[in-house]
Amino acid sequence: GSGSLLICCRPGEADPLVEAIRALEIPVRRIGEVLDREPGVEAAGGEGPRKLPSFEVDEITRLFGGEPGGEDNVPPGGMPGKNQGGY
């Protein structure tokens, strides 16, 4: 969902990473894996794989001018990190 953080890592590093995050008492869950296949994202479940929609730009990027028509939403002085030293 919106506000979630997705982390991608090498397969052998996933379990130690999950354990380290849990040790910080942060909820974490492995939700998938990257496979060497055609481009796109599929969800696998009890009903079998199904293709998920693809978005060129997420809602936060779009809000701050990441696509045509979004420039009016950029805060005065621009986006943090883009021209102000950032995060």
Side-chain angles (χ1 to χ4, degrees):
S2 188
S4 298
L5 173 64
L6 297 177
I7 300 173
C8 188
C9 66
R10 291 181 174 88
E13 298 173 358
D15 289 335
L17 180 60
V18 167
E19 290 173 21
I21 294 170
R22 283 191 179 137
L24 296 170
E25 299 182 5
I26 298 171
V28 62
R29 172 180 284 183
R30 280 180 78 168
I31 62 167
E33 60 185 311
V34 176
L35 303 174
D36 188 18
R37 295 187 178 174
E38 64 185 62
V41 178
E42 291 183 351
E47 301 168 10
R50 64 183 166 92
K51 208 139 182 75
L52 296 178
S54 176
F55 302 95
E56 293 297 317
V57 180
D58 68 62
E59 68 265 21
I60 300 300
T61 303
R62 184 171 41 250
L63 176 68
F64 289 108
E67 78 176 10
E71 293 84 6
D72 293 339
N73 295 322
V74 176
M79 289 178 57
K82 199 170 187 179
N83 57 5
Q84 300 173 350
Y87 302 99

